[in-house]
Amino acid sequence: MFWKKEVFNLPNIITFIRIGMVPFLFTLLLSPGRFWSLVLAVFFVIASLTDFIDGYIARKYSMVTTLGKFLDPIADKLLVNTAMILMIPIGRIPAWIVAITIIRDLLVDWIRSASSAQGFIIQASRLGKQKTLAQVIAITALMIHYSLFGINAHIVGIAILYVALFLTLVSGADYFIKYYRFQTKSNN
């Protein structure tokens, strides 16, 4: 019964599906033309929406599990960071922004793990959620890349990507400040 409740509940299955969608992003490198760019953008949006769906179901129906808390942020980072990395070689996203994003994610994961090991849980912040939303919007526009309805999707995507970069840095600093305050309190 443990396995059924802890591993194979609906929110976790949705998270596993999101992780399983990541390899399909590799088609972006194979066929970056107008049609496939739009198809991949729609696919990416659907995959991103599963993040909201699994969290909603888990909270609404009291299906929050330790595994889900662990897997959900990993699935999000796999989806977003893989998409960003794969757009570097086709010239849709600057590598330095991807590097900053990944380094920030690793540092935040380290901070959250270190604080958790000391009995202090740093919850996902509102800024972090806003960062993820900005990243999803930016990545979607950058995947579309071409003009759509008279709007240059690439330019829109780059503009939103800079907003996401700002939120990446600010939310990363927020996690660091929370950890620093915890350390200061515990050392007194």
Side-chain angles (χ1 to χ4, degrees), residues 47-142:
S48 297
L49 286 174
T50 65
D51 180 32
F52 300 105
I53 294 167
D54 66 6
Y56 173 78
I57 292 170
R59 285 184 298 277
K60 180 165 174 95
Y61 297 104
S62 299
M63 300 173 101
V64 175
T65 64
T66 303
L67 180 65
K69 287 181 193 176
F70 174 75
L71 279 181
D72 189 62
I74 290 173
D76 298 342
K77 288 173 184 157
L78 270 173
L79 184 67
V80 168
N81 291 340
T82 300
M84 290 173 71
I85 290 167
L86 291 173
M87 286 194 283
I88 294 170
I90 58 175
R92 294 190 186 178
I93 193 167
W96 67 271
I97 291 178
V98 177
I100 289 172
T101 301
I102 291 171
I103 290 168
R104 177 262 185 209
D105 286 348
L106 291 171
L107 288 173
V108 166
D109 287 346
W110 175 79
I111 287 169
R112 290 179 80 184
S113 293
S115 67
S116 177
Q118 296 171 0
F120 178 65
I121 305 299
I122 301 176
Q123 297 293 331
S125 72
R126 178 180 227 163
L127 282 170
K129 292 177 182 184
Q130 291 170 343
K131 171 213 52 121
T132 301
L133 179 61
Q135 286 174 328
V136 167
I137 294 168
I139 290 167
T140 301
L142 291 168

Side-chain angles (χ1 to χ4, degrees), residues 21-22 24-29 31-48 79-87 90 92-93 135-148 153-154 157-158:
M21 294 171 129
V22 170
F24 290 100
L25 293 174
F26 285 94
T27 58
L28 182 62
L29 283 176
S31 304
R34 183 181 296 266
F35 173 76
W36 286 110
S37 292
L38 186 58
V39 168
L40 278 168
V42 169
F43 179 81
F44 179 76
V45 167
I46 291 168
S48 297
L79 184 67
V80 168
N81 291 340
T82 300
M84 290 173 71
I85 290 167
L86 291 173
M87 286 194 283
I90 58 175
R92 294 190 186 178
I93 193 167
Q135 286 174 328
V136 167
I137 294 168
I139 290 167
T140 301
L142 291 168
M143 280 183 171
I144 293 170
H145 182 66
Y146 301 96
S147 289
L148 188 65
H154 185 79
I158 291 292

